[in-house]
Structures are given as structure tokens and as C-alpha cells.
Amino acid sequence: MLNPAFIPTALLLQLMLLALLQQGLSWWSSLVLIGILLFKYISFKAQKKVRMMTINALAVMLCLLLLSQLWQQDMQDSMLQLLFFSAALRLFSIHSELQHAKKLLWVQYFLITTGFMLDQSLWFASAVFLLFFCNLYLHYLLFAPVQQRQFRWTDIRLLLWVMPLCIALFVLFPRLPPLWQTERQNQAQTGLADELSLGGLERLVQNDSLAFRVEFADEKPVQHELYWRAKVFEAFNGQDWLPDLQRTPQPPLTTPGRYRYQLVVEPHFQRSLFSLGQVSQLQGQVQTAAAGLIESRQQISRRFSYSLTSDGSAVSQQNMEEAKRNLVLRHTNPQASELALQLKQQHRTASAYAQALYQYFEQQQFSYSLRPPVLNQQAQVDQFLFQHKVGFCGHYASAAAYLFRAAGIPARVVAGYQGGVWQAQGDYLQVLQKDAHAWVEYLEDGYWRRFDATVIVAPLRLTQGLSDALSLSERQFLDQFFQRGVLGNWLQQLEWLDYYWSVWVLSFDQTEQRFIWHYFKTMPWLWIGSCIITSLLLMLGIYLWLQRSNQSQNVLLRQRMLKALRPYGEKAHYQSMESYLRQLIQLYPLQATKLKELLSAYQQFEFAEQQEQLQQCRKLLHQLAKHSSTAG
Amino acid sequence: MAGIQALQQLEQKLNQVILGKPQAVRLALCCLLSEGHLLIEDLPGLGKTTLAHALALSLGVHYKRVQFTNDMLPADLLGQSVFLRDTQEFQFRSGPIFSQILLADEINRASPRTQSALLEAMEEKQVSVDGLSYALPKPFFVIATQNPLFHAGTNALPESQLDRFLMRLALGFPDLQTEKLILQQDQGQSRLEGLSPCINEQQLLLLQQDVVQIKVSDALLDYLLALVTQSRQQQDCLPLSPRAAKALLRATKAFALMSGRHYATAEDVQQVFPSVAEHRLNPASSRDNQSLSLQLLRKVPCPL
């Protein structure tokens, strides 16, 4: 009795699902799944039933295979694969019973929504919704009355009717914190590395993907003030700059900040978050870290949104010990140390020393390049400062921090992002991975002042972004990585959509919900108005429903009859119920008495309008449906 | 409902005379009950006249038979005014149409003039001669028979006049067993002779009133209208008029009464539909051809 279109549609759906969940599946499981689907397709075409023994054996084998792979794989991915295998194998048993088909549909609903664990972008969500509707259609195929197996306009209209309810539920339903959370491991890290060596950040600069997006509430900082701090490297091992692991978190300021802004961070599988200067107010999942930084309580494995208030000014000194830590230096670069001492003698204060360093970089004609010469292991700072004089932010930051410390001024390397592109439509700032940057902070009068040699070497890098700061050949080199064709403008529009998807939908949490309630409470007329409108709509709905239910008793009964009697035989659409029942009476002599009683009760209910016969009809239908399995 | 029992008895008797055609007999009785006129069309020798005669005989009402020919004049049917010498005035001598049942044999042999005189009387239930109107008796019921159109010397009834007949029936050939039975029972005397009336005029009028009282549900009316509307949307047939819809409803009700019910069902509509609709959808068709109306029935979904 299964609709012939059911199995091909289910196969197609699972194929699409395979494409959707590709990220979570290993290569071998994808292959196995394609194999299973192909096998099912062939046996379906040839109209051959596969023996359940074979399927069960296959299932056991796959389980063992999964178990053996368990130590190599993420737990969550293994579970996903297990679920997918069971769904694919379930396809083999649905010809026998309706029950199996129902189970399959529910497993598929579950599988489709697991997609959200992998990705939350608007495009992915659209794909998930599409698959969801496909599954809904499958469900429809299974249960629709025989004469209406086509999805019709009325069904679509019905779906549209449900939409306002969905939106209302989304907005009003209490947001519960997650019951459990899963961490994804074995993920390639994106974003800033945990150490800075000369020539670090190179990998990031060649990456065009999105890092995070920011929207400012009122005042926007100027472009060259947009230094997004993410990591501070305070330990120097003679060659690389590393984070100091023995630091305690610095409490945030309580004073109101100058800038209020909201960030939407792309998953980078680290805990570090981005902020401008000194942070003063924090909420929810965000907490303070050492050196005026902030971090998330959990690894950022899905799109994450948070709001901040910060003062644009310099970060204040945490304690005395901090200054000491940032003076530690292993003098691995003798030439640089000598230079530092020379300059320090001429310039007493830290700020004068910084000015002198700026001057030095300017006079010595340092230049900016993304393809600096490769440095030897020994005395890298010396090589950069006195030999090549070419490099990018990592080189300058590393060298400058060395020079500061060598002169006895506490200094550290900060990594993060600089600038970003303002999106005209959305009034929000888009920061890409290629905006990654590194600079130096030195301590003066209890505040950490910013020193960025790139300002001197490549001023355009700050005001107009990376590509303007480069020479033509450098730009061509960069363009290999960023193909921005004719579609550029279009893509921007799409990004804009995706941004508001994250801001309004993904980051809609308890706080936002409380805010809406608060908003309602402060405006009584809005509150009363929406109450009145809702109750009017409700009353209208009830009225229409009562109107319908009066008359549709007959329609309901007819549908019920068709459904209950379908196992006995199909009714032609032009056939009257009487001739249909008479045909059944001929075919099933065992049920003839019941069918005859049903016929007479139905006729009296339908045509003589004797309402009391409805009960009799229902009773007989129930009995007939129960015996339908023995009908044949 | 003593009337219904008498009716069923009547049906039984007719079936003993017209062997093997219970559906045609029932439909003919339906037509009678719903105060419509009946046209029986078939090849010669299939029992048209026998059915007509049997109906007339068993009803116990006054009936006359007229054999139509091509030289027949309207006056031969309606009657004429005759000048009486004794009283020096005209007197109307009524024709054969003044009867309760008129058997019009081979109606399509008459000239169009005579045909239209008859059909006018059928619709108006009165006759106008020399400026005076004469009412026809009640009940008034015409059973006309005709040969298929392709036979020589026939004048086809125009569409507007075919519409006046509530039903057109075709008897068709009997099946082998029935025909054998007919041959076996042929004793040289007509079967009609033994037929006696089993229903009287009063009962007939009462039954006709009962037909009007039959209950028709809203949904059933919708189905009936869907059938009529479908005919209007189709290209290959004439549309069914509101008169046709009325005829269909009456025939349906009569069919329900014949089945001993006080409510009509969708099956009733489907049973009477070909006989009521085919000659309106496709006037040129003849004999047993009910293809258009059956096609129509198959096109319209019936949820009832």
C-alpha cells in the first residue's frame, strides 16, 4: 500500500542529506553510505527484496567498524554516522510495514537537524529547511488519502498558515540553556596561532574568510583606532613570542565605556575573543583574562555573539609583577641589543624612545612586504633589522618588542586584527582573517601604550586596508588568494543577509527575550493592543472552526471511511460510496454483514441527515479497520 | 406507504412481461412517477411497443395509441371543431391526445408540424384549437417510441423538442438466456393479455406527490450541479440546461422512491443520469449509445 514514489524520494533525500552532513562524515562512511543507497536503488529497480539476514549482518559489520574507528574520531561524528547508517539500512525494511517507514521519517528529521551542529550560516540553514520540507513531503506521501497524493496549493497554503505560529513560538517560547553541550575536537584551528615567530601570521594574511563582524551602537571609532586585541605574548624564548601561562585574570573596569558594540564571531575553536582597548562591561559567557583581554568560557565552536562596552584608551597596568615579567629578555640578538642601548641613552622616557624607534624605521627605509626573505635560525631580529629591512607586521612587532625590552622598557607583543571593511548597507564592520595584525604595547605611567611600526612603514595599511599598502606585484600576489570577480557586489549583499541572520536569529537568547518583554512592559498601549489583536484573531479562528466543524462532520466521516477501507480496496474517484461498498461486499463475503450495515448507516447519515448514525458508522469502521489485516 | 408496495408489485408484473430488462422497466416507471414523458428508441422488434403497452395497461388509466405516419395532420391528433347542423354551432371533437396515457408509436415518422403539435401539448398540458384552450386530463403521460434515425422515411426530432422528454431509453438486445426463454414461452398469444391494472389513478397521483417529498441533501445537490457544470465546460457535447438539471433531480427522487427510500443518494443520480442526460448532450446519437454521459460521470469526482 506504500506510495510507489516513496522509496525514490527517500533515496533522493538521503543523498541530499549526505551532501549536507559531509563535514561530519569521514570519507569511508560517505563511501559506505553511497554504496548502501546504490544497492537499495538497484534492488528497488529490479523489484527484489533483500533478505533481512543480509541487512542485519551488514548493520553488525558497520557497528564494529565504527567501534574500531572510535578512538580516532570525534564522539559526536561517530554518533552521527551511526544514525545515518541506521537510516540508510532502514530503507530496506520499509516495503513490509508502515511502521518502519514512520521510524525512518523520524530518524531523518533528527538527522536533518543535526546539521546545525556543523554549521549555522544562513545558507546552511536554508539547506536544512529545504531538506526538512522534503521530509515533510515524504511524510505527506505516506499518510495522504489515495486520491490526493500530489502536493497541492492548499497544502502549501496550510504551511504558510503555520508560519506566524512558528515565529511567535520562536520569539516567545522560553529560551532554555542547553541541557548538554558537545565539544568538537580534531578540528583544524583557524584564526590566530598560539605563538608569534618572525614571519608568523603569514598563513592568516593569505586567508580571505570571515573572522568576525561588529556593529557599533552609537559612536564609531576612526579606522586607525580599530585595533582588535585578541592575544598577548609576554614570554620570549629568544626566538618566538609565547603567551605567559601563569597570569591571573584582570578585573574589568566599572566605568562606562565610550564605545558600545556587538560582535558576531565565526568559529575558530579557541577561547580568545576580540575587544578594543580597555574593556569595562561584560555579560554572559564572556569573562576577563590576563592583560586586559577577554575570553569565552567555552571554545568557540559555533557562531558566537556578545556585546561589550569599552573605552578606546590604553589598557592599564595590572600589577607590579606584570612590569617585571615584560622585561625578561634573552639577548640572542647582540646587534639589536646594542642599538637599543644607544637609543636609550639619547631618549630617557619611554615615549621619547618610542618616537626614536619610529624615526629609526623611517630613516632606515624599511619596507612592507608579504614575501620577505627567509630568515636563518640564529639572531633573526638582527637579520631583519640590519640585513633585509623587509617584512610585515609580525617582523616589526617582534623586533620592536625586543628593542623595547633591551632598553629596559616593559613591552609585549599583541596579536589580533586591525581595521576591517565597513559594509555600507548594514553599517557594520566586517573583519576578515587577512586583517590579522600584530603590534607592540609598552608600559608607561601605568598604561600600556600602543607601538605599531607598520604605521610608518606602510601607512595605507591602517587607513585603507592591506591591498592598498602593497606594490602592484605584491597585490597581484595577494589576488591569487582572493578571487573577487563580477559577483563581488552580489556576494556582499549575501554577506549582509548572513550577518543579520546571525544577529537576529542565532544570537536570540534569554537576554534578548527579556529585553523584548521589558520593551513590551514599558509601552502599555503596545501591550494592550497586541492582546486585543491576538484575542480577536483567536475568536475569529474559533468562529471559523465552529462554522466548519458543523458541516464537515460528513467530510470527516468520508475521509475516515476511505482511510479505514483502503486496505480492502481503493475507491475510484468517480465511484459513489454505495457502489464502492457494494464492490467490497462482493469481494469480502466474510465482512459482508458489517459492510452492509455500514452502507445503510452511512446512507442514512449522509443523505437522510440522521446524525445519530454517525456513532454507528464510526463503530463499524473501527471494527472493519481492525480486521483489515485479515481482509486479504 | 401502501403506494410503494403497489408500485413494487407493478414493477414485478412488468418484469414478467418485459423479460430481462429490469433496469429499463424501473427507469420507465421513474419517468412516469416524476411526471415526465418517455421516449423509447430502438430497432424494430426489440419490445418498445410492448413496454409502452404494458405500462399503459398496468396502470389502470385511460390510454390511447396513435400510430404516427408521414401524412398525419395535427388535427388528427388534437381533434377539430365540427359544424353541427342541428344546433347551428361548432362543436369540438377531441382527438386521441385527450387521454391519460398516449402511446405515440414511431413519432419520428410524422411531419415536423404534427410532431410540434404533440410536443407543445406535452409541455403546456393543454391544447388550443380555433382560439379555445382545452385542458388535458391528469395525469398526462406520453410514451413515444421511435426508430433510429438512419432508418428511411424518418424526420429527426429537433433538439428543443427532445429536451421535453424526461428520459430516453433504449432496450437493446436481450441476452441469450432471456431470448431462449422468450422463444420457449411463445404460445401464440400476447403476454399483454393477462396484464391487469394493479395501481389506480388516485394512487398514482399520490405517488407523484411522494416523489416531490424525497429528501435531497445539500452535498448531493452539489454533486448533481457538478455534473451539470462539467457538461458546460466540455467542448464535445451540448451543455445541460437548468431544465435538464431539474429533470435530473426529479428522476433521481423518483428512483429513490422506487428503491423504497425517503432520501436520494449519489447512486440514484448515477443510475438515472445516462437516461436523462444522453439525449440532451448528444441529440444525434441513437440506440444504446450512452458514451458521453458515462464519460461525464467518470470525470466528476463523487465523494459521497
Side-chain angles (χ1 to χ4, degrees):
Chain A
M1 297 317 292
L2 201 66
N3 190 336
F6 186 86
I7 293 201
T9 319
L11 275 169
L12 190 68
L13 179 85
Q14 293 210 354
L15 209 61
M16 291 197 287
L17 202 55
L18 190 65
L20 186 83
L21 301 178
Q22 193 51 51
Q23 290 176 49
L25 299 170
S26 60
W27 62 270
W28 65 267
S29 57
S30 301
L31 275 182
V32 167
L33 281 168
I34 289 173
I36 292 176
L37 295 184
L38 208 64
F39 182 37
K40 175 64 197 173
Y41 181 72
I42 291 166
S43 66
F44 175 72
K45 275 283 157 191
Q47 297 192 330
K48 270 191 186 157
K49 284 187 183 177
V50 182
R51 278 171 49 204
M52 279 323 281
M53 269 295 283
T54 323
I55 299 306
N56 288 337
L58 199 58
V60 170
M61 259 166 55
L62 284 174
C63 279
L64 289 177
L65 200 57
L66 262 182
L67 266 177
S68 69
Q69 296 284 321
L70 201 58
W71 59 275
Q72 275 186 349
Q73 258 184 348
D74 194 79
M75 190 64 181
Q76 183 183 312
D77 287 350
S78 304
M79 288 297 122
L80 183 70
Q81 281 165 22
L82 187 68
L83 206 60
F84 211 149
F85 286 147
S86 72
L89 288 177
R90 179 67 74 182
L91 277 174
F92 286 95
S93 59
I94 46 178
H95 54 73
S96 58
E97 267 183 66
L98 216 60
Q99 204 59 35
H100 290 286
K102 284 183 197 168
K103 276 181 200 154
L104 174 75
L105 286 171
W106 292 115
V107 170
Q108 279 175 355
Y109 279 123
F110 198 80
L111 263 176
I112 290 167
T113 30
T114 51
F116 279 125
M117 296 201 296
L118 304 174
D119 195 341
Q120 296 92 37
S121 72
L122 182 61
W123 323 119
F124 198 84
S126 317
V128 167
F129 280 123
L130 180 77
L131 275 176
F132 200 81
F133 279 111
C134 283
N135 209 33
L136 210 60
Y137 175 66
L138 260 184
H139 224 138
Y140 178 81
L141 278 184
L142 198 63
F143 289 102
V146 191
Q147 293 160 29
Q148 302 169 1
R149 285 281 165 92
Q150 288 299 312
F151 213 58
R152 293 165 313 160
W153 173 236
T154 42
D155 301 309
I156 294 168
R157 226 170 38 194
L158 216 69
L159 279 179
L160 290 181
W161 267 100
V162 181
M163 279 305 172
L165 189 70
C166 288
I167 292 169
L169 277 179
F170 175 78
V171 175
L172 300 179
F173 198 77
R175 299 270 137 178
L176 302 172
L179 292 176
W180 79 93
Q181 273 181 325
T182 51
E183 292 281 326
R184 289 177 65 77
Q185 302 133 17
N186 301 343
Q187 274 286 346
Q189 284 201 347
T190 52
L192 301 165
D194 274 333
E195 54 173 43
L196 187 94
S197 53
L198 280 175
L201 292 182
E202 190 178 12
R203 182 176 52 81
L204 278 185
V205 172
Q206 291 163 3
N207 186 343
D208 200 16
S209 61
L210 188 64
F212 59 94
R213 288 175 284 202
V214 201
E215 193 170 17
F216 285 91
D218 9 75
E219 196 187 349
K220 293 170 194 157
V222 284
Q223 190 77 12
H224 59 78
E225 284 296 324
L226 290 170
Y227 279 86
W228 301 100
R229 301 171 86 243
K231 287 187 172 169
V232 168
F233 302 118
E234 294 183 314
F236 182 61
N237 66 2
Q239 194 164 357
D240 299 330
W241 291 88
L242 303 165
D244 194 331
L245 299 172
Q246 291 148 11
R247 292 288 305 269
T248 50
Q250 185 171 5
L253 290 184
T254 46
T255 52
R258 199 164 143 210
Y259 305 116
R260 286 197 298 130
Y261 49 100
Q262 188 190 10
L263 282 95
V264 182
V265 184
E266 297 297 305
H268 53 49
F269 304 98
Q270 298 177 23
R271 286 171 57 192
S272 58
L273 292 174
F274 314 106
S275 58
L276 283 176
Q278 184 72 50
V279 177
S280 56
Q281 277 168 20
L282 294 175
Q283 297 175 322
Q285 287 287 302
V286 184
Q287 65 189 19
T288 50
L293 291 175
I294 52 168
E295 62 183 17
S296 160
R297 288 182 211 281
Q298 256 115 25
Q299 205 186 58
I300 308 289
S301 57
R302 39 189 75 88
R303 235 176 227 192
F304 178 69
S305 162
Y306 61 96
S307 299
L308 273 186
T309 309
S310 65
D311 209 350
S313 65
V315 180
S316 60
Q317 185 184 357
Q318 195 178 344
N319 46 34
M320 287 314 288
E321 191 212 13
E322 192 181 34
K324 263 185 233 158
R325 282 174 185 278
N326 283 300
L327 270 176
V328 178
L329 185 69
R330 283 169 72 181
H331 292 268
T332 46
N333 299 278
Q335 275 183 286
S337 302
E338 202 185 310
L339 174 69
L341 286 174
Q342 269 176 28
L343 286 173
K344 179 67 184 161
Q345 277 169 3
Q346 293 160 21
H347 307 278
R348 288 280 156 203
T349 62
S351 53
Y353 183 78
Q355 282 304 319
L357 273 189
Y358 277 134
Q359 261 175 27
Y360 180 79
F361 281 122
E362 197 176 4
Q363 284 162 2
Q364 296 290 317
Q365 293 185 336
F366 278 79
S367 62
Y368 191 87
S369 170
L370 288 179
R371 286 177 296 175
V374 182
L375 304 173
N376 296 330
Q377 288 291 310
Q378 296 291 311
Q380 289 186 330
V381 175
D382 281 356
Q383 283 175 57
F384 166 66
L385 282 176
F386 303 103
Q387 198 178 334
H388 304 300
K389 301 189 178 179
V390 171
F392 50 89
C393 56
H395 297 86
Y396 288 101
S398 193
Y402 185 92
L403 287 174
F404 273 113
R405 286 199 183 181
I409 303 167
R412 59 195 184 192
V413 174
V414 184
Y417 295 85
Q418 204 285 319
V421 183
W422 288 99
Q423 299 293 318
Q425 294 104 329
D427 263 350
Y428 67 88
L429 186 75
Q430 197 177 49
V431 180
L432 305 179
Q433 295 292 1
K434 67 173 180 181
D435 292 317
H437 193 51
W439 61 95
V440 173
E441 280 177 351
Y442 64 92
L443 190 65
E444 187 184 35
D445 304 335
Y447 286 99
W448 288 97
R449 311 278 176 196
R450 185 166 60 233
F451 175 88
D452 187 4
T454 329
V455 179
I456 300 300
V457 179
L460 290 174
R461 166 76 179 84
L462 293 186
T463 49
Q464 278 159 32
L466 180 64
S467 54
D468 286 310
L470 299 172
S471 66
L472 189 65
S473 65
E474 291 266 331
R475 218 174 300 165
Q476 278 164 355
F477 166 71
L478 201 61
D479 282 346
Q480 291 170 5
F481 303 103
F482 317 135
Q483 288 293 331
R484 283 250 184 229
V486 202
L487 288 173
N489 199 21
W490 230 86
L491 287 174
Q492 245 177 31
Q493 306 265 350
L494 292 181
E495 297 227 323
W496 174 74
L497 263 181
D498 189 41
Y499 173 68
Y500 282 107
W501 161 258
S502 339
V503 170
W504 289 338
V505 182
L506 289 186
S507 62
F508 186 80
D509 57 3
Q510 280 163 302
T511 345
E512 299 274 328
Q513 211 168 29
R514 238 177 269 140
F515 178 72
I516 286 185
W517 283 117
H518 185 70
Y519 189 72
F520 263 117
K521 272 185 209 153
T522 51
M523 294 195 192
W525 53 270
L526 194 67
W527 181 239
I528 293 166
S530 53
C531 271
I532 289 174
I533 288 172
T534 316
S535 50
L536 276 180
L537 282 177
L538 210 67
M539 266 148 66
L540 185 74
I542 290 172
Y543 174 74
L544 286 177
W545 184 72
L546 282 177
Q547 283 274 307
R548 277 174 63 107
S549 68
N550 239 353
Q551 185 202 345
S552 65
Q553 282 286 6
N554 300 36
V555 181
L556 283 177
L557 178 67
R558 282 178 223 149
Q559 284 172 356
R560 218 173 154 138
M561 281 177 80
L562 287 183
K563 196 179 159 195
L565 297 178
R566 192 183 303 153
Y568 292 89
E570 305 260 342
K571 171 179 171 296
H573 71 108
Y574 57 83
Q575 219 175 4
S576 72
M577 209 61 98
E578 184 178 345
S579 75
Y580 171 56
L581 283 169
R582 289 202 187 288
Q583 185 185 322
L584 295 187
I585 291 169
Q586 291 285 316
L587 286 172
Y588 302 100
L590 280 178
Q591 305 291 343
T593 21
K594 286 228 169 67
L595 287 165
K596 275 179 192 160
E597 278 174 46
L598 175 66
L599 175 60
S600 115
Y602 168 71
Q603 301 263 46
Q604 286 177 27
F605 172 72
E606 177 77 70
F607 299 109
E609 290 168 7
Q610 294 175 4
Q611 297 296 324
E612 69 275 9
Q613 294 290 341
L614 183 61
Q615 220 37 51
Q616 171 75 358
C617 284
R618 285 186 180 156
K619 204 179 84 189
L620 285 165
L621 277 176
H622 185 69
Q623 291 170 358
L624 282 166
K626 227 167 43 185
H627 292 294
S628 67
S629 52
T630 57
Chain B
M1 282 250 198
I4 286 187
Q5 274 170 9
L7 199 65
Q8 278 161 352
Q9 220 176 354
L10 171 66
E11 194 184 358
Q12 220 171 3
K13 268 194 176 172
L14 283 174
N15 275 327
Q16 281 164 9
V17 176
I18 317 291
L19 293 171
K21 296 286 167 198
Q23 179 77 355
V25 167
R26 182 167 271 211
L27 284 170
L29 280 173
C30 262
C31 193
L32 181 74
L33 287 179
S34 45
E35 298 178 67
H37 306 291
L38 177 64
L39 179 64
I40 308 175
E41 183 184 86
D42 222 320
L43 291 169
L46 288 177
K48 301 186 295 283
T49 317
T50 314
L51 173 61
H53 264 283
L55 267 174
L57 268 174
S58 56
L59 282 173
V61 289
H62 181 231
Y63 84 96
K64 278 181 188 156
R65 178 186 173 187
V66 181
Q67 183 74 38
F68 279 47
T69 55
N70 54 5
D71 55 356
M72 204 177 166
L73 293 174
D76 295 337
L77 187 66
L78 306 178
Q80 55 198 316
S81 296
V82 181
F83 186 70
L84 293 179
R85 273 214 192 149
D86 313 351
T87 51
Q88 294 285 312
E89 40 184 31
F90 282 94
Q91 195 196 7
F92 180 67
R93 293 274 171 90
S94 58
I97 201 165
F98 287 89
S99 59
Q100 287 173 314
I101 292 187
L102 177 69
L103 297 183
D105 242 349
E106 308 210 45
I107 190 176
N108 58 345
R109 290 206 183 276
S111 63
R113 231 179 116 194
T114 315
Q115 285 176 357
S116 65
L118 170 66
L119 294 160
E120 194 186 329
M122 282 161 62
E123 186 62 23
E124 317 265 318
K125 306 242 164 139
Q126 64 173 18
V127 171
S128 299
V129 178
D130 295 337
L132 285 170
S133 297
Y134 304 94
L136 291 172
K138 261 192 157 188
F140 176 66
F141 182 44
V142 174
I143 305 176
T145 67
Q146 71 169 358
N147 287 321
L149 295 177
F150 53 81
H151 278 228
T154 56
N155 295 311
L157 287 174
E159 287 140 29
S160 59
Q161 299 188 346
L162 266 179
D163 197 30
R164 309 253 160 103
F165 287 100
L166 184 95
M167 280 187 193
R168 181 174 70 178
L169 288 181
L171 288 170
F173 290 102
D175 56 44
L176 267 181
Q177 280 174 335
T178 316
E179 196 161 5
K180 196 171 176 186
L181 201 66
I182 293 171
L183 294 180
Q184 278 169 350
Q185 291 182 357
D186 188 14
Q187 306 292 327
Q189 61 176 49
S190 169
R191 297 166 167 281
L192 293 172
E193 278 168 23
L195 215 56
S196 55
C198 45
I199 196 167
N200 60 33
E201 190 185 320
Q202 203 57 40
Q203 276 176 317
L204 183 61
L205 285 172
L206 278 174
L207 280 171
Q208 285 181 343
Q209 277 169 21
D210 283 345
V211 168
V212 183
Q213 306 291 326
I214 294 285
K215 189 175 186 101
V216 177
S217 76
D218 210 44
L220 186 60
L221 266 187
D222 286 342
Y223 173 58
L224 195 146
L225 282 174
L227 283 171
V228 175
T229 317
Q230 178 67 33
S231 79
R232 293 171 195 169
Q233 286 161 356
Q234 236 158 280
Q235 300 295 322
D236 54 353
C237 65
L238 290 178
L240 289 176
S241 62
R243 191 197 315 193
K246 257 166 87 180
L248 181 57
L249 180 62
R250 264 193 306 175
T252 303
K253 285 176 166 183
F255 201 87
L257 184 73
M258 293 287 303
S259 316
R261 275 184 270 110
H262 61 94
Y263 53 85
T265 70
E267 191 61 23
D268 294 337
V269 177
Q270 294 191 345
Q271 290 292 329
V272 300
F273 187 74
S275 309
V276 176
E278 186 66 29
H279 63 290
R280 293 175 160 104
L281 293 169
N282 184 10
S285 80
S286 59
R287 288 189 60 221
D288 219 0
N289 189 356
Q290 297 187 325
S291 57
L292 271 180
S293 50
L294 289 176
Q295 249 179 45
L296 210 90
L297 275 179
R298 288 198 160 231
K299 267 188 194 161
V300 180
C302 175
L304 304 171

